[in-house]
Every structure is written in C-alpha cells, then in structure tokens.
Amino acid sequence: MTPTRVTLVILGASGDLTSRLLLPGLGTLLKNRLAHDVRLVGAAVEAMPAAQWRSLVATALGEGGCPADELGPLLASTEFVQLDVTNREHLAALLARVDEPGRPVVLYFALPPTVSQRACELLADLELPDGLRLAIEKPFGSSLESAQEFNRVLTSVVPEDQIFRVDHYLGKATVLNLLGLRFANRIFEPIWNATNIEWVDIVVDEQLALEGRAGYYDHAGALRDMVQSHLLLVLAMVAMEAPARIDALEVRDLMSHTLRRVHLVGDSGSSSRRARYTAGTVDGRAVPDYVDEEGMDTANKTETLAEVELEIRNARWAGVRFRLRSGKALGSGVRAIIVKFREVAYLPEGFEGRAPANVLVLGMAPESIQLAIATNGGGRAWNFEVTPLSIQLGQSELRPYGEILEGIITGDPLLSVRGDVAEECWRILTPVLEAWRAGEVPLEEYPAGSDGPNSWD
Ligand code: NDP
C-alpha cells in the first residue's frame, strides 16, 4: 500500500491542544494505521528551540503509542517555525517553505478563534499550495452570524471539501457506534421512532471544573462549549435517517437534513435552563466558587451547566422530547446517550403491576452499552424486575483526535463538520442565547459536587 504523504502544519503548536490531544491522537494513528507518511511542522509566536520541539513531539506521540520506527523518521524531518499568523509576509513565507510536489499541505489552526479567522482572511490573497486543506478547531464562531461570516471567509480560500471543521466528538467510539448499532442490527432501527421511543437524553456531566481554561470558558459557557457543538452533532447521529453508504456526502447530508428540523420545545424561556456552581467538593477535591476562580468576570453571567429541550419536526420523531445537558464540577460524571422507550401498548392481564419500559444507555466514557429489560419469574412469578444487559466496549484503536486526523490526512471529510451543519447548530440555539441575554431565564446555582440545582429533575 502506498503511504499517504502529507505535510501537517500545526499553527499554535506550543498550545495545550497540540500536546494534550492532537499529537497523542496522531500517535495512535501512526501506531495503528501505518500507511501515513507525515511531515510535521509546528508554528507559534514564541520561538522554540528545535530540541525542545522534538522532545515535545516525541513525548506527545509516544503517549499515543507511536512506535519507534515511525517516530524516528518523523522526528528527523520535523521543524518548528516562529511566526505571527496574522502577518501576511510570515504566512506567505511559511506556505512557500512547506509546499512540496506530491505532498498535500494541511494547515491545522490550533489557535485562538479570532486569530484563526484573521489568518484565513489573509490566505484569500496569497498563493496557496495545490489542494491545501484547512482544519479549523472549535468553537466555530460565537453566533449564527459569525459562523456564516467565517464560512464565507473559508470558502473564499478553498472549496468546502478541503475544509475540515474539527469536532472530536464525531471521532468518539460511542458516536461512531451509533451508526453500526442502528443500521447493522435488525432489533433497533425498526423501533427507532416516536411510536416506540418516549424521550432521549444526551448528557455530558463533567466532574472536572475549569482546569486552567478559565480565560476561554468565561466567554463561552456550557451552552456554547458543549451543547452548541458536540451534543447537537451527537443528536444528529442519534436521529438521522439511514444512509445508503457511509461516506461524507451521504452522512453529512443526512445530519444536515435532521438538524434543519430541530427546534426548541415551546418558547425559548421554558425550554432552557442554566446554572453556575458554587464552592463544594467533587470526588474529594475542594472546588472554589466559580466567581472566585482566577480571571472570572461576574458581568459575563457565565453558566457552568446548561440544559435545553428540543423536538424534531418530522414523521419519525414528532412528540419525542430530546434533552441535551452538559456542565462542570458535577457529582456523578454521567456521559451517556439515554433512550427511554415507551411502555408496551398492551400488557396481558394477570401480570402484577406495570411492565417497566426499556431503557438503552450508551455510555461515552467508558464506552458501554446497557439495555434495561423487564423480566419476571425470577422472584414472584407475575411480578416484574428490571434486568440490565450490560457490556463494556473494547478499547478503540484510535483516540477521537486520531480518527479525525485520519480523515484530514487522507482528505476524507466524513468526520468533519460541514459548513451548513455548523450554521444549523447555531440557528437552533440562537433563541436560547437571546433569551438568556435578555434575562428571561434565571442563572441558578448548584454546589460543586452535586448533580445540579435541587429544583431540576
Ligand atoms: P493555547 O492558548 O494553549 O495555545 C494557543 C496557541 O496559539 C499557542 O501556541 C500560541 O503561540 C498560538 N498563537 C496565538 N496567536 C498566534 C499568532 N498570532 N500566530 C501564531 N501563533 C499564535 O490554546 P489551546 O491549545 O488550548 O487551543 C487552541 C484551539 O483549540 C482553540 O481554538 C481552542 O478553542 C481549541 N480547542 C482546545 C481544546 C483544549 O482542550 N485545549 C479542546 C478543543 C478545542 P504562543 O504561545 O507562542 O503565543
């Protein structure tokens, strides 16, 4: 097999994302899918000595399990470039330096979002390597209008199929597994509809608090950070129609098609809730009040827990409530897609009590599947018990960033977010953002380590 040759230029290579997620993800890719020949170039404002850069790369790729025979050649060819990406001459010089026949270039923007956008605006007037790919990190815009504007900038530089908007949730095993679970098992897809399903919860409750990302988080909050991007994309995978092929056109068309039908249940005030943690203890760790965290601006009214209730206006899902929720410094750390089925339409007379409804829980960390079924006969003959069928899924070969990077390196945008999909995610939540800005929804409080405000379900 001929190796895929690519030059991966990470802009923002001295940042947290690069060493903690991106390079370890690449490490899992180089370990498990050997047919990639990657020339790696790092770039940032502050200079970094070559030895320090090579050591950073070796450590981070090693964390992903990159074998020594892959690491050696990559370390021999890697380099670090000092530049300001908002400087036209610097960008032009970088492009000239990395352009090489037969080796497509990926510019990976691991930069603050405003810096990424400014750099892309400059690219529009520069001479670009043939087939240049742009990989753009989240958050993609901060509102519908800003996402539309960024899309206009990007598509003035390269065509849409060379733009990779990164959302690593699309590389998570549980999310990928939704396609197999639904469309490769006869027992799920025929009942995957409003006739049989009462509600779906998509929940990512984190025990972690701010973990050094306060500067970013205080301007984003839980709704923008998690619900607007990750959780709406998971919703699209849960609810989309069956693809005829697993490819970028088919799957992303169907995600877009589903998201276009997603709306808040009722008005924007009643279908959303927000709260912020106060001091408490999470898993034995003391967590300060959010407003006492360094760098917080109380005027931002940043929520650390957000919840929205949505409906999908189509024949498959009419009447089903989808609840998306995510927050920080929470007690239980639930990360799961929970599908609650309706009770049976008719229960034979003679059973005692009602049959409990089935519940399917797809755990995201660790990856697991649990199905609660009603059984009887184990205790009293005609009494029901809830019996869980439960399995842990095996460890994935690739970390989520490895999955995403494989698409970028091979030029397959299947697992990246298409421009219209990114805009739909903002369109869905715009009324919530407006209602919160207008003070129509109170900012409640919960002690760190609890499961949210007492008054919430
Ligand atoms: P950091 O603040 O840790 O790093 C930012 C990087 O950008 C640094 O290398 C910095 O270089 C560089 N940089 C800033 N301005 C310029 C410029 N004008 N020219 C060249 N380089 C520049 O950010 P993160 O790594 O945390 O995040 C990067 C992106 O990834 C953001 O968009 C973020 O939202 C996204 N992201 C981050 C995640 C995370 O867990 N960290 C998770 C998901 C997404 P220097 O230090 O030399 O100034």
mmCIF file of all heavy atoms in Angstrom, residues 12-18 20-21 43-46 83-86 109-113 115 137-139 213 216 401, ligand 1:
data_model
loop_
_atom_site.group_PDB
_atom_site.id
_atom_site.type_symbol
_atom_site.label_atom_id
_atom_site.label_comp_id
_atom_site.label_asym_id
_atom_site.label_seq_id
_atom_site.Cartn_x
_atom_site.Cartn_y
_atom_site.Cartn_z
ATOM 1 N N GLY A 12 -0.039 27.117 16.200
ATOM 2 C CA GLY A 12 -0.417 27.092 17.622
ATOM 3 C C GLY A 12 0.153 25.850 18.287
ATOM 4 O O GLY A 12 -0.442 25.287 19.204
ATOM 5 N N ALA A 13 1.327 25.440 17.809
ATOM 6 C CA ALA A 13 1.888 24.145 18.214
ATOM 7 C C ALA A 13 2.428 24.134 19.634
ATOM 8 O O ALA A 13 2.693 23.065 20.176
ATOM 9 C CB ALA A 13 3.011 23.756 17.239
ATOM 10 N N SER A 14 2.567 25.312 20.254
ATOM 11 C CA SER A 14 3.049 25.314 21.641
ATOM 12 C C SER A 14 1.882 25.290 22.621
ATOM 13 O O SER A 14 2.087 25.334 23.834
ATOM 14 C CB SER A 14 3.908 26.568 21.893
ATOM 15 O OG SER A 14 3.135 27.728 21.610
ATOM 16 N N GLY A 15 0.652 25.201 22.129
ATOM 17 C CA GLY A 15 -0.528 25.301 22.991
ATOM 18 C C GLY A 15 -0.937 23.977 23.620
ATOM 19 O O GLY A 15 -0.386 22.908 23.322
ATOM 20 N N ASP A 16 -1.936 24.095 24.475
ATOM 21 C CA ASP A 16 -2.448 22.946 25.241
ATOM 22 C C ASP A 16 -3.027 21.861 24.331
ATOM 23 O O ASP A 16 -2.762 20.668 24.506
ATOM 24 C CB ASP A 16 -3.535 23.488 26.189
ATOM 25 C CG ASP A 16 -4.201 22.407 26.984
ATOM 26 O OD1 ASP A 16 -3.528 21.824 27.835
ATOM 27 O OD2 ASP A 16 -5.395 22.136 26.738
ATOM 28 N N LEU A 17 -3.812 22.275 23.336
ATOM 29 C CA LEU A 17 -4.471 21.298 22.464
ATOM 30 C C LEU A 17 -3.454 20.388 21.777
ATOM 31 O O LEU A 17 -3.638 19.168 21.695
ATOM 32 C CB LEU A 17 -5.309 22.029 21.403
ATOM 33 C CG LEU A 17 -6.005 21.109 20.413
ATOM 34 C CD1 LEU A 17 -7.343 20.643 20.963
ATOM 35 C CD2 LEU A 17 -6.220 21.782 19.065
ATOM 36 N N THR A 18 -2.383 21.001 21.278
ATOM 37 C CA THR A 18 -1.404 20.242 20.497
ATOM 38 C C THR A 18 -0.780 19.121 21.321
ATOM 39 O O THR A 18 -0.739 17.961 20.875
ATOM 40 C CB THR A 18 -0.298 21.191 19.973
ATOM 41 O OG1 THR A 18 -0.930 22.205 19.194
ATOM 42 C CG2 THR A 18 0.714 20.449 19.131
ATOM 43 N N ARG A 20 -1.724 17.944 24.351
ATOM 44 C CA ARG A 20 -2.597 17.095 25.165
ATOM 45 C C ARG A 20 -3.531 16.226 24.330
ATOM 46 O O ARG A 20 -3.854 15.103 24.714
ATOM 47 C CB ARG A 20 -3.416 17.990 26.105
ATOM 48 C CG ARG A 20 -3.872 17.316 27.367
ATOM 49 C CD ARG A 20 -4.354 18.316 28.383
ATOM 50 N NE ARG A 20 -5.335 19.238 27.866
ATOM 51 C CZ ARG A 20 -6.626 18.956 27.713
ATOM 52 N NH1 ARG A 20 -7.091 17.780 28.059
ATOM 53 N NH2 ARG A 20 -7.458 19.859 27.225
ATOM 54 N N LEU A 21 -3.950 16.719 23.162
ATOM 55 C CA LEU A 21 -4.949 15.962 22.397
ATOM 56 C C LEU A 21 -4.506 15.627 20.967
ATOM 57 O O LEU A 21 -4.641 14.496 20.508
ATOM 58 C CB LEU A 21 -6.269 16.746 22.356
ATOM 59 C CG LEU A 21 -6.966 16.930 23.713
ATOM 60 C CD1 LEU A 21 -8.130 17.907 23.596
ATOM 61 C CD2 LEU A 21 -7.473 15.597 24.239
ATOM 62 N N ALA A 43 4.242 25.614 14.537
ATOM 63 C CA ALA A 43 4.470 27.063 14.438
ATOM 64 C C ALA A 43 3.749 27.771 15.574
ATOM 65 O O ALA A 43 2.663 27.358 15.990
ATOM 66 C CB ALA A 43 3.954 27.577 13.091
ATOM 67 N N ALA A 44 4.377 28.818 16.086
ATOM 68 C CA ALA A 44 3.755 29.662 17.112
ATOM 69 C C ALA A 44 4.515 30.976 17.194
ATOM 70 O O ALA A 44 5.543 31.145 16.518
ATOM 71 C CB ALA A 44 3.753 28.952 18.466
ATOM 72 N N VAL A 45 4.008 31.890 18.008
ATOM 73 C CA VAL A 45 4.610 33.229 18.096
ATOM 74 C C VAL A 45 5.980 33.176 18.771
ATOM 75 O O VAL A 45 6.955 33.724 18.285
ATOM 76 C CB VAL A 45 3.696 34.186 18.910
ATOM 77 C CG1 VAL A 45 4.315 35.569 18.976
ATOM 78 C CG2 VAL A 45 2.314 34.261 18.306
ATOM 79 N N GLU A 46 6.029 32.500 19.916
ATOM 80 C CA GLU A 46 7.293 32.415 20.657
ATOM 81 C C GLU A 46 8.187 31.363 20.023
ATOM 82 O O GLU A 46 7.719 30.264 19.705
ATOM 83 C CB GLU A 46 7.024 32.005 22.112
ATOM 84 C CG GLU A 46 6.172 32.982 22.901
ATOM 85 C CD GLU A 46 6.899 34.300 23.164
ATOM 86 O OE1 GLU A 46 8.136 34.272 23.321
ATOM 87 O OE2 GLU A 46 6.224 35.352 23.165
ATOM 88 N N LEU A 83 6.434 32.385 14.004
ATOM 89 C CA LEU A 83 5.747 33.334 13.121
ATOM 90 C C LEU A 83 4.513 33.901 13.791
ATOM 91 O O LEU A 83 4.013 33.333 14.773
ATOM 92 C CB LEU A 83 5.346 32.676 11.799
ATOM 93 C CG LEU A 83 3.959 32.014 11.668
ATOM 94 C CD1 LEU A 83 3.705 31.606 10.259
ATOM 95 C CD2 LEU A 83 3.788 30.864 12.605
ATOM 96 N N ASP A 84 4.030 34.996 13.244
ATOM 97 C CA ASP A 84 2.739 35.530 13.654
ATOM 98 C C ASP A 84 1.803 35.292 12.470
ATOM 99 O O ASP A 84 1.998 35.873 11.394
ATOM 100 C CB ASP A 84 2.890 37.028 13.954
ATOM 101 C CG ASP A 84 1.550 37.679 14.269
ATOM 102 O OD1 ASP A 84 0.510 36.987 14.193
ATOM 103 O OD2 ASP A 84 1.546 38.887 14.574
ATOM 104 N N VAL A 85 0.806 34.431 12.647
ATOM 105 C CA VAL A 85 -0.046 34.076 11.500
ATOM 106 C C VAL A 85 -0.901 35.244 11.023
ATOM 107 O O VAL A 85 -1.512 35.163 9.953
ATOM 108 C CB VAL A 85 -0.968 32.868 11.788
ATOM 109 C CG1 VAL A 85 -0.191 31.609 12.014
ATOM 110 C CG2 VAL A 85 -1.909 33.159 12.937
ATOM 111 N N THR A 86 -0.960 36.298 11.817
ATOM 112 C CA THR A 86 -1.734 37.459 11.353
ATOM 113 C C THR A 86 -0.845 38.426 10.562
ATOM 114 O O THR A 86 -1.282 39.521 10.206
ATOM 115 C CB THR A 86 -2.400 38.200 12.536
ATOM 116 O OG1 THR A 86 -1.369 38.716 13.389
ATOM 117 C CG2 THR A 86 -3.300 37.291 13.341
ATOM 118 N N PHE A 109 -5.383 24.800 12.364
ATOM 119 C CA PHE A 109 -5.483 26.041 13.158
ATOM 120 C C PHE A 109 -5.778 25.708 14.617
ATOM 121 O O PHE A 109 -6.939 25.663 15.031
ATOM 122 C CB PHE A 109 -6.567 26.955 12.583
ATOM 123 C CG PHE A 109 -6.209 27.501 11.237
ATOM 124 C CD1 PHE A 109 -6.404 26.739 10.085
ATOM 125 C CD2 PHE A 109 -5.654 28.762 11.109
ATOM 126 C CE1 PHE A 109 -6.054 27.230 8.835
ATOM 127 C CE2 PHE A 109 -5.299 29.265 9.863
ATOM 128 C CZ PHE A 109 -5.488 28.496 8.725
ATOM 129 N N ALA A 110 -4.724 25.464 15.395
ATOM 130 C CA ALA A 110 -4.881 25.225 16.842
ATOM 131 C C ALA A 110 -4.614 26.552 17.557
ATOM 132 O O ALA A 110 -3.709 26.651 18.389
ATOM 133 C CB ALA A 110 -3.916 24.141 17.303
ATOM 134 N N LEU A 111 -5.394 27.531 17.201
ATOM 135 C CA LEU A 111 -5.149 28.921 17.596
ATOM 136 C C LEU A 111 -6.395 29.490 18.259
ATOM 137 O O LEU A 111 -7.495 28.953 18.068
ATOM 138 C CB LEU A 111 -4.900 29.773 16.337
ATOM 139 C CG LEU A 111 -3.707 29.449 15.471
ATOM 140 C CD1 LEU A 111 -3.851 30.142 14.121
ATOM 141 C CD2 LEU A 111 -2.432 29.893 16.169
ATOM 142 N N PRO A 112 -6.254 30.607 18.986
ATOM 143 C CA PRO A 112 -7.480 31.294 19.433
ATOM 144 C C PRO A 112 -8.352 31.597 18.199
ATOM 145 O O PRO A 112 -7.819 31.969 17.143
ATOM 146 C CB PRO A 112 -6.948 32.586 20.065
ATOM 147 C CG PRO A 112 -5.530 32.265 20.443
ATOM 148 C CD PRO A 112 -5.029 31.298 19.415
ATOM 149 N N PRO A 113 -9.688 31.417 18.313
ATOM 150 C CA PRO A 113 -10.564 31.525 17.135
ATOM 151 C C PRO A 113 -10.419 32.822 16.337
ATOM 152 O O PRO A 113 -10.416 32.797 15.110
ATOM 153 C CB PRO A 113 -11.967 31.406 17.716
ATOM 154 C CG PRO A 113 -11.790 30.738 19.038
ATOM 155 C CD PRO A 113 -10.418 31.050 19.536
ATOM 156 N N VAL A 115 -7.834 34.646 15.979
ATOM 157 C CA VAL A 115 -6.555 34.609 15.258
ATOM 158 C C VAL A 115 -6.695 33.705 14.025
ATOM 159 O O VAL A 115 -6.217 34.037 12.929
ATOM 160 C CB VAL A 115 -5.425 34.100 16.196
ATOM 161 C CG1 VAL A 115 -4.098 34.044 15.462
ATOM 162 C CG2 VAL A 115 -5.326 34.975 17.435
ATOM 163 N N GLU A 137 -10.379 24.422 14.361
ATOM 164 C CA GLU A 137 -10.830 23.935 15.670
ATOM 165 C C GLU A 137 -12.133 24.619 16.105
ATOM 166 O O GLU A 137 -12.476 25.691 15.626
ATOM 167 C CB GLU A 137 -9.748 24.209 16.718
ATOM 168 C CG GLU A 137 -8.859 23.019 16.980
ATOM 169 C CD GLU A 137 -9.618 21.823 17.561
ATOM 170 O OE1 GLU A 137 -10.687 22.010 18.159
ATOM 171 O OE2 GLU A 137 -9.121 20.697 17.400
ATOM 172 N N LYS A 138 -12.799 23.984 17.027
ATOM 173 C CA LYS A 138 -13.937 24.630 17.670
ATOM 174 C C LYS A 138 -13.444 25.646 18.687
ATOM 175 O O LYS A 138 -12.320 25.497 19.155
ATOM 176 C CB LYS A 138 -14.845 23.588 18.322
ATOM 177 C CG LYS A 138 -14.184 22.835 19.475
ATOM 178 C CD LYS A 138 -15.146 22.228 20.434
ATOM 179 C CE LYS A 138 -15.522 23.210 21.508
ATOM 180 N NZ LYS A 138 -15.868 22.648 22.815
ATOM 181 N N PRO A 139 -14.166 26.649 19.109
ATOM 182 C CA PRO A 139 -15.524 26.936 18.651
ATOM 183 C C PRO A 139 -15.519 27.550 17.252
ATOM 184 O O PRO A 139 -14.636 28.341 16.932
ATOM 185 C CB PRO A 139 -16.009 27.953 19.686
ATOM 186 C CG PRO A 139 -14.770 28.636 20.166
ATOM 187 C CD PRO A 139 -13.688 27.619 20.116
ATOM 188 N N ARG A 213 -8.544 26.497 32.081
ATOM 189 C CA ARG A 213 -9.044 27.082 30.827
ATOM 190 C C ARG A 213 -10.064 28.190 31.122
ATOM 191 O O ARG A 213 -10.964 28.459 30.312
ATOM 192 C CB ARG A 213 -9.640 25.991 29.930
ATOM 193 C CG ARG A 213 -8.618 24.909 29.562
ATOM 194 C CD ARG A 213 -9.058 24.077 28.390
ATOM 195 N NE ARG A 213 -9.080 24.830 27.159
ATOM 196 C CZ ARG A 213 -10.007 24.686 26.221
ATOM 197 N NH1 ARG A 213 -10.965 23.828 26.376
ATOM 198 N NH2 ARG A 213 -9.964 25.410 25.124
ATOM 199 N N TYR A 216 -10.785 31.107 28.518
ATOM 200 C CA TYR A 216 -11.654 30.730 27.402
ATOM 201 C C TYR A 216 -13.086 30.515 27.887
ATOM 202 O O TYR A 216 -14.049 31.050 27.339
ATOM 203 C CB TYR A 216 -11.109 29.453 26.735
ATOM 204 C CG TYR A 216 -12.157 28.650 26.008
ATOM 205 C CD1 TYR A 216 -12.663 29.094 24.785
ATOM 206 C CD2 TYR A 216 -12.665 27.472 26.551
ATOM 207 C CE1 TYR A 216 -13.642 28.378 24.121
ATOM 208 C CE2 TYR A 216 -13.639 26.749 25.893
ATOM 209 C CZ TYR A 216 -14.132 27.207 24.683
ATOM 210 O OH TYR A 216 -15.104 26.496 24.052
ATOM 211 N N TYR A 401 -9.159 12.165 18.415
ATOM 212 C CA TYR A 401 -8.388 13.050 17.535
ATOM 213 C C TYR A 401 -7.642 12.263 16.463
ATOM 214 O O TYR A 401 -7.367 12.789 15.379
ATOM 215 C CB TYR A 401 -7.426 13.936 18.349
ATOM 216 C CG TYR A 401 -8.057 15.280 18.666
ATOM 217 C CD1 TYR A 401 -8.698 15.503 19.878
ATOM 218 C CD2 TYR A 401 -8.049 16.314 17.736
ATOM 219 C CE1 TYR A 401 -9.297 16.718 20.162
ATOM 220 C CE2 TYR A 401 -8.646 17.539 18.004
ATOM 221 C CZ TYR A 401 -9.270 17.740 19.211
ATOM 222 O OH TYR A 401 -9.871 18.951 19.477
HETATM 223 P P1 NDP B 1 -3.496 27.832 23.888
HETATM 224 O O1 NDP B 1 -3.806 29.192 24.376
HETATM 225 O O2 NDP B 1 -2.950 26.845 24.834
HETATM 226 O O3 NDP B 1 -2.469 27.926 22.660
HETATM 227 C C1 NDP B 1 -2.641 28.870 21.637
HETATM 228 C C2 NDP B 1 -1.529 28.696 20.621
HETATM 229 O O4 NDP B 1 -1.744 29.642 19.578
HETATM 230 C C3 NDP B 1 -0.131 28.954 21.179
HETATM 231 O O5 NDP B 1 0.762 28.044 20.568
HETATM 232 C C4 NDP B 1 0.157 30.380 20.688
HETATM 233 O O6 NDP B 1 1.538 30.618 20.497
HETATM 234 C C5 NDP B 1 -0.525 30.336 19.334
HETATM 235 N N1 NDP B 1 -0.800 31.652 18.796
HETATM 236 C C6 NDP B 1 -1.600 32.623 19.298
HETATM 237 N N2 NDP B 1 -1.608 33.694 18.490
HETATM 238 C C7 NDP B 1 -0.800 33.400 17.448
HETATM 239 C C8 NDP B 1 -0.387 34.095 16.286
HETATM 240 N N3 NDP B 1 -0.819 35.328 16.022
HETATM 241 N N4 NDP B 1 0.455 33.482 15.440
HETATM 242 C C9 NDP B 1 0.903 32.229 15.685
HETATM 243 N N5 NDP B 1 0.559 31.521 16.760
HETATM 244 C C10 NDP B 1 -0.279 32.105 17.631
HETATM 245 O O7 NDP B 1 -4.828 27.300 23.186
HETATM 246 P P2 NDP B 1 -5.314 25.783 23.059
HETATM 247 O O8 NDP B 1 -4.218 24.960 22.546
HETATM 248 O O9 NDP B 1 -5.985 25.393 24.310
HETATM 249 O O10 NDP B 1 -6.497 25.915 21.978
HETATM 250 C C11 NDP B 1 -6.257 26.116 20.600
HETATM 251 C C12 NDP B 1 -7.562 25.979 19.853
HETATM 252 O O11 NDP B 1 -8.089 24.677 20.064
HETATM 253 C C13 NDP B 1 -8.656 26.951 20.308
HETATM 254 O O12 NDP B 1 -9.439 27.308 19.212
HETATM 255 C C14 NDP B 1 -9.482 26.109 21.277
HETATM 256 O O13 NDP B 1 -10.806 26.563 21.378
HETATM 257 C C15 NDP B 1 -9.401 24.753 20.598
HETATM 258 N N6 NDP B 1 -9.641 23.631 21.494
HETATM 259 C C16 NDP B 1 -8.850 23.451 22.592
HETATM 260 C C17 NDP B 1 -9.070 22.380 23.428
HETATM 261 C C18 NDP B 1 -8.210 22.141 24.629
HETATM 262 O O14 NDP B 1 -8.538 21.240 25.416
HETATM 263 N N7 NDP B 1 -7.128 22.866 24.815
HETATM 264 C C19 NDP B 1 -10.176 21.427 23.193
HETATM 265 C C20 NDP B 1 -10.918 21.674 21.990
HETATM 266 C C21 NDP B 1 -10.656 22.741 21.191
HETATM 267 P P3 NDP B 1 2.392 31.409 21.602
HETATM 268 O O15 NDP B 1 2.222 30.650 22.868
HETATM 269 O O16 NDP B 1 3.773 31.374 21.077
HETATM 270 O O17 NDP B 1 1.799 32.792 21.706
#
